[in-house]
Amino acid sequence: MGIQNQAALDSANAAFYELFDEIFEGSPPGPWREFCELRSTDAKINEVDILEAMPAVREWVGSKLFPDMKASTLSSTIKTYERSFAIKRLDLETNNSGQIARRIAAFLRDAGQIYDKLATDALLANGTGYDGVSLFSASHPRGPAGATQSNITTSALSFATYESALISMQSLRDANGEPMGINPNVMICGPKTRKDALEITNSRDRLKAVDASGAESGTRVAAAAVDNVFAGGEMLVYVSPRLVGSYDDHVYLLDTTKPGVSPIVGFEKRAPEGISQTDMDGEGRFMLDELRYSVECDASFAPGAWQVAHGFIL
């Protein structure tokens, strides 16, 4: 049995795969690449390995010491994900206005965000990392002399909290007391905090409220414009449409300058793949008289190196 309008089917299939190749060329789009390192794998269960500290420099007295490099791991299990849609056979056969091509294009544009959704979901979930606490936590262990360190702010983004977060990130030390050299260069925020993010990182001046003594606190009795020392374009701001609803106040500072070190680690066993089921003898056509299209992948996303990220999580 053949489809009455084979040209329509061939055109829809060609549009599907052509648009798929265009959208997924390189890697799926989205700001997820700023905070997630993607690793290829053939295994179902993978280990996130984090190098926490290198042996410290010491005066050479007696024999050399060869302490182990401090590293930790966390398991991440590959899962299968899909996004699919169906077209009724009759709609496809009688399509003369390009409507089906537009539907395919709209579906693939949304499906193209598959890694951005999965990686962002992992970031927002604030799961347990390799050190036994949440990715964003005020009690990360194994700091200098066993101290704990923080990469979280529980107050809203402001000039003051931004400055405190910068100081916190740039002051991080490893277990040997050596500076980690963290210098954030990317901020990810949602639509609600976009104005504040751009004002803090890009505006030449900032408005400062002062009390009767001139201090930047207390009851506001005046305001003065002062130089914004944070401006100058050093911080790139990405506005994620996923930081809405319960996450609309979330803001993340990232240091993306260190290759192979990210707060989220992705493992990819099978890259996003376009699949079509358009055989007239297929189960979907036979039972429901529809043709089906999917985007599938085998991947996982897990917490990675907390040191290169700081979260404003209210």
Side-chain angles (χ1 to χ4, degrees), residues 88-102:
K88 287 295 185 180
R89 175 191 55 81
L90 187 60
D91 290 339
L92 182 59
E93 288 186 347
T94 58
N95 173 55
N96 296 313
S97 63
Q99 181 186 54
I100 299 302
R102 289 192 294 272

Side-chain angles (χ1 to χ4, degrees), residues 35-304:
F35 59 84
C36 178
E37 177 203 359
L38 189 64
R39 304 175 184 176
S40 180
T41 181
D42 291 325
K44 182 176 181 180
I45 300 177
N46 301 273
E47 286 192 341
V48 181
D49 58 312
I50 304 295
L51 183 62
E52 289 189 85
M54 298 288 286
V57 175
R58 60 181 287 273
E59 181 182 0
W60 189 352
V61 178
S63 298
K64 290 182 179 179
L65 299 181
F66 297 91
D68 292 335
M69 292 185 294
K70 296 179 173 62
S72 299
T73 60
L74 175 74
S75 294
S76 179
T77 302
I78 295 290
K79 297 180 181 179
T80 298
Y81 297 93
E82 58 84 20
R83 187 163 186 173
S84 307
F85 85 118
I87 300 173
K88 287 295 185 180
R89 175 191 55 81
L90 187 60
D91 290 339
L92 182 59
E93 288 186 347
T94 58
N95 173 55
N96 296 313
S97 63
Q99 181 186 54
I100 299 302
R102 289 192 294 272
R103 288 183 187 177
I104 291 174
F107 165 75
L108 285 173
R109 282 194 296 271
D110 285 345
Q113 301 296 312
I114 188 168
Y115 278 3
D116 191 54
K117 172 175 171 51
L118 295 176
T120 302
D121 284 351
L123 188 73
L124 296 175
N126 198 21
T128 301
Y130 70 87
D131 58 359
V133 299
S134 298
L135 177 62
F136 297 98
S137 171
S139 56
H140 288 286
R142 301 196 283 273
T148 59
Q149 299 183 99
S150 174
N151 70 332
I152 189 171
T153 295
T154 56
S155 300
L157 177 67
S158 68
F159 280 97
T161 58
Y162 177 75
E163 180 178 19
S164 295
L166 290 182
I167 294 172
S168 177
M169 295 184 76
Q170 294 168 343
S171 300
L172 291 175
R173 298 290 187 269
D174 66 19
N176 295 318
E178 290 297 300
M180 294 183 184
I182 307 299
N183 288 291
N185 62 317
V186 169
M187 177 187 291
I188 295 181
C189 66
K192 179 180 176 181
T193 54
R194 174 182 178 274
K195 179 177 179 294
D196 292 333
L198 293 176
E199 184 179 49
I200 290 170
T201 62
N202 288 277
S203 62
R204 186 186 65 183
D205 300 324
R206 70 182 180 94
L207 196 64
K208 180 172 78 169
V210 297
D211 62 17
S213 68
E216 194 175 355
S217 62
T219 303
R220 173 177 170 169
V221 296
V226 298
D227 289 339
N228 179 14
V229 298
F230 303 122
E234 295 180 357
M235 184 72 64
L236 297 177
V237 176
Y238 290 88
V239 181
S240 171
R242 301 187 185 281
L243 299 187
V244 294
S246 300
Y247 308 106
D248 61 1
D249 288 311
H250 285 212
V251 176
Y252 299 93
L253 293 181
L254 310 169
D255 182 346
T256 67
T257 65
K258 295 170 173 52
V261 183
S262 298
I264 298 296
V265 177
F267 292 96
E268 180 183 74
K269 188 175 186 304
R270 179 175 56 137
E273 181 179 10
I275 304 292
S276 63
Q277 188 185 65
T278 57
D279 188 345
M280 284 293 289
D281 296 326
E283 184 269 342
R285 212 297 308 168
F286 183 80
M287 296 299 294
L288 299 172
D289 199 19
E290 64 185 19
L291 310 174
R292 296 170 174 176
Y293 297 89
S294 290
V295 172
E296 306 173 358
C297 69
D298 299 330
S300 66
F301 294 83

